[in-house]
């Protein structure tokens, strides 16, 4: 089954404790992206990747890092999480730039930073 | 600045009734517009995509319209079902920027 998977689905952590949210897709997609979703604000792009070893900042990259060492994986790293990073995070992938191609979203990771 | 505004923010209707959700955008230059359905606790799923030249597109009980002149789109849901309860997100892309512009969504609740 074609899908985007994220882990963990739920995470409660404390300020300053490094964490990684994994994202994996099995559709051989070039384009992958991370979004955060907050009430009343809609989805906002954090980082995206056009292909292996190619990443770029989205609209809200501060406090986040990503890497794309393999085509199928695109982990999101929070080196020193803060409470304002409490949010619902989605990973997405598409065969090319999402402008004209459907993005497939993962199930989401709900992160709480205390 | 590119913006996508959706209305209403939330809507409650009875099962079997029709409803229309609105999306106004200021994204330029326009490339395409998508409507996504997002069930609670799940990732968004694409319902339909519309390009500049398309005025209407249907997907089962969902019909999207686009007026590129007034920069407005609507999503009409016919004969609503309980399973239509979800958030509906309007997403617009331009021809230049790499990112998409997301609306904040309309939360629809269909009651029996």
């Amino acid at each position: 089954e074609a899908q985007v998977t994220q882990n963990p689905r739920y995470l409660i952590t404390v300020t300053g404790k490094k964490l990684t949210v994994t994202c994996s897709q099995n559709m051989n997609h070039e384009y992958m992206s991370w979004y955060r979703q907050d009430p009343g604000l809609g989805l906002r792009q954090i980082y995206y990747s056009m292909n292996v070893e190619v990443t770029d900042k989205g609209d809200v990259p501060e406090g986040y890092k990503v890497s794309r060492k393999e085509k199928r994986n695109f982990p999101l790293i929070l080196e020193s999480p803060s409470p304002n990073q409490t949010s619902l995070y989605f990973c997405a992938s598409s065969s090319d730039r999402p402008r004209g191609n459907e993005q497939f979203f993962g199930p989401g990771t709900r992160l709480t930073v205390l | 600045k590119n913006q996508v505004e959706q209305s209403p923010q939330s809507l409650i209707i009875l099962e079997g009734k029709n409803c229309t959700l609105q999306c106004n955008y200021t994204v330029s230059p326009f490339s395409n517009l998508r409507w996504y359905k997002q069930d609670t606790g799940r990732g968004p799923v694409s319902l339909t995509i519309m390009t500049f030249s398309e005025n209407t597109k249907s997907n089962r009980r969902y019909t999207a319209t686009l007026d590129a002149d007034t920069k407005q789109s609507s999503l009409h849901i016919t004969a609503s079902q309980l399973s239509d309860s979800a958030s509906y997100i309007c997403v617009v892309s331009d021809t230049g920027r790499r990112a998409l512009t997301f609306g904040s969504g309309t939360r629809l609740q269909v009651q029996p």
Side-chain angles (χ1 to χ4, degrees):
Chain A
E1 179 190 356
Q3 61 181 351
V4 178
T5 57
Q6 295 178 227
N7 281 293
R9 294 290 312 280
Y10 303 91
L11 180 61
I12 300 174
T13 188
V14 296
T15 299
K17 186 176 181 181
K18 180 179 178 180
L19 66 92
T20 299
V21 184
T22 64
C23 172
S24 181
Q25 50 93 6
N26 62 2
M27 295 168 279
N28 201 37
H29 283 167
E30 278 80 26
Y31 185 97
M32 297 186 74
S33 182
W34 275 104
Y35 297 90
R36 61 178 289 174
Q37 187 176 35
D38 302 290
L41 292 180
L43 284 148
R44 293 179 293 169
Q45 191 178 49
I46 303 170
Y47 268 95
Y48 65 94
S49 170
M50 292 298 299
N51 213 323
V52 176
E53 301 292 1
V54 180
T55 63
D56 208 346
K57 297 177 180 179
D59 295 321
V60 288
E62 294 78 20
Y64 305 94
K65 286 175 56 177
V66 293
S67 69
R68 188 90 182 273
K69 292 183 171 55
E70 305 166 282
K71 198 172 187 179
R72 63 183 294 128
N73 296 324
F74 190 45
L76 179 69
I77 303 158
L78 284 72
E79 295 272 5
S80 183
S82 61
N84 64 12
Q85 292 178 297
T86 293
S87 186
L88 179 59
Y89 291 86
F90 288 100
C91 179
S93 74
S94 61
S95 58
D96 199 342
R97 293 174 184 268
R99 180 186 307 154
N101 297 280
E102 179 179 356
Q103 278 195 103
F104 294 85
F105 286 83
T109 295
R110 186 168 291 280
L111 171 66
T112 300
V113 183
L114 302 175
Chain B
K1 180 181 178 182
N2 289 340
Q3 286 189 313
V4 174
E5 301 286 340
Q6 292 187 242
S7 61
Q9 278 190 321
S10 61
L11 182 62
I12 300 174
I13 62 173
L14 294 176
E15 186 178 12
K17 298 296 185 181
N18 304 335
C19 69
T20 300
L21 314 180
Q22 299 291 343
C23 173
N24 296 337
Y25 62 92
T26 59
V27 176
S28 182
F30 176 83
S31 177
N32 61 64
L33 181 149
R34 280 189 190 274
W35 283 95
Y36 281 87
K37 178 185 179 187
Q38 184 178 18
D39 294 312
T40 301
R42 308 285 294 272
V45 175
S46 179
L47 292 175
T48 183
I49 180 171
M50 302 188 73
T51 58
F52 184 86
S53 60
E54 296 174 304
N55 300 119
T56 303
K57 184 172 282 189
S58 293
N59 176 5
R60 294 176 294 167
R61 293 179 296 102
Y62 301 104
T63 298
T65 66
L66 175 67
D67 186 334
D69 291 331
T70 62
K71 299 186 177 181
Q72 296 179 325
S73 176
S74 66
L75 181 68
H76 186 75
I77 303 175
T78 304
S80 61
Q81 300 176 357
L82 298 179
S83 60
D84 292 331
S85 295
S87 288
Y88 292 84
I89 303 171
C90 176
V91 186
V92 183
S93 67
D94 62 57
T95 60
R97 291 185 67 235
R98 297 172 295 248
L100 309 173
T101 305
F102 289 78
S104 57
T106 292
R107 180 172 292 279
L108 173 65
Q109 184 177 347
V110 181
Q111 294 183 339

